[in-house]
Amino acid sequence: GDSVTQMEGPVTLSEEAFLTINCTYTATGYPSLFWYVQYPGEGLQLLLKATKADDKGSNKGFEATYRKETTSFHLEKGSVQVSDSAVYFCALATGGGNKLTFGTGTQLKVEL
Amino acid sequence: GAVVSQHPSWVICKSGTSVKIECRSLDFQATTMFWYRQFPKQSLMLMATSNEGSKATYEQGVEKDKFLINHASLTLSTLTVTSAHPEDSSFYICSAHPPGSYNEQFFGPGTRLTVL
């Protein structure tokens, strides 16, 4: 079945550091890939997405490229801020409107 | 656009009582909504898929009689936790799938349930 593997956290960085959160997947067919962010006490917000190979999703300085050859969708940001502290979930979906398969989430802590 | 709300945002109840959580799509019609449960510091676990006008589809291991789902209209789905017990305490999140948004779901802010 479909699965998503994320690097374990927590990841602790200093402000303005470079961020990478690794995400790899296994799926039947051609999935759409997503990164969601969850701030403390809140629901999930879509951060970015990519629907086909080599697509790059980007939002708020975050980027991720759909790499079919390595089945990866790593999240990157060049300079993190304290306000980026949250839990980040990688997810995939196959078919139209079907359920999402989530990774376990990676907690990011950004310190001054 | 594509805003999903949940009510209440938090609720505390006594063991043995039932609690209803509402999930609304505010600016679109959703034929399909999803209910998730999230334990502290863990990922989301899909509980069920709520289909407007038909019975919900439950994931394996989720008790249908315990977690009643009703999708009465294209903008409202409800989750009722019946005869709640402390182990039902959790963060419940719903999501909705807008028409035309291929594979994309929009999430509600979640409901924190605490059963005493």
Side-chain angles (χ1 to χ4, degrees), chain B residues 96-107:
Chain B
H97 171 66
S101 61
Y102 187 75
N103 274 333
E104 189 167 349
Q105 295 178 26
F106 292 87
F107 287 80

Side-chain angles (χ1 to χ4, degrees), chain A residues 32 34 36 38 41-44 46 49 89 93-100 102-105, chain B residues 32 34 36 38 41-44 46 49 59 91 93 97 102-110:
Chain A
S32 296
F34 306 86
Y36 284 87
Q38 185 179 33
E42 299 183 11
L44 273 68
L46 178 66
K49 66 178 181 180
F89 292 92
T94 53
N98 287 342
K99 54 190 178 184
L100 287 166
F102 285 93
T104 53
Chain B
T32 302
F34 302 88
Y36 296 84
Q38 186 181 30
K41 298 184 179 181
Q42 294 188 25
S43 189
L44 281 73
L46 179 65
T49 303
E59 295 298 300
F91 195 50
I93 304 175
H97 171 66
Y102 187 75
N103 274 333
E104 189 167 349
Q105 295 178 26
F106 292 87
F107 287 80

Side-chain angles (χ1 to χ4, degrees), chain B:
Chain B
V3 178
V4 177
S5 70
Q6 280 185 242
H7 178 81
S9 56
W10 59 270
V11 57
I12 301 173
C13 69
K14 293 182 178 180
S15 186
T17 61
S18 294
V19 174
K20 179 184 286 187
I21 302 170
E22 294 185 347
C23 176
R24 293 182 185 272
S25 55
L26 298 185
D27 50 4
F28 64 96
Q29 294 183 331
T31 55
T32 302
M33 291 183 172
F34 302 88
W35 286 97
Y36 296 84
R37 183 173 180 178
Q38 186 181 30
F39 293 98
K41 298 184 179 181
Q42 294 188 25
S43 189
L44 281 73
M45 180 192 77
L46 179 65
M47 299 175 65
T49 303
S50 173
N51 303 298
E52 189 270 335
S54 64
K55 292 183 179 180
T57 303
Y58 290 82
E59 295 298 300
Q60 189 173 9
V62 178
E63 299 177 60
K64 301 178 182 180
D65 296 332
K66 175 86 176 159
F67 300 100
L68 301 179
I69 292 172
N70 183 277
H71 197 145
S73 75
L74 287 172
T75 60
L76 173 64
S77 176
T78 60
L79 168 67
T80 301
V81 182
T82 62
S83 186
H85 291 283
E87 57 265 30
D88 298 325
S89 298
S90 192
F91 195 50
Y92 292 88
I93 304 175
C94 73
S95 70
H97 171 66
S101 61
Y102 187 75
N103 274 333
E104 189 167 349
Q105 295 178 26
F106 292 87
F107 287 80
T111 297
R112 173 74 61 192
L113 170 63
T114 302
V115 184
L116 302 176

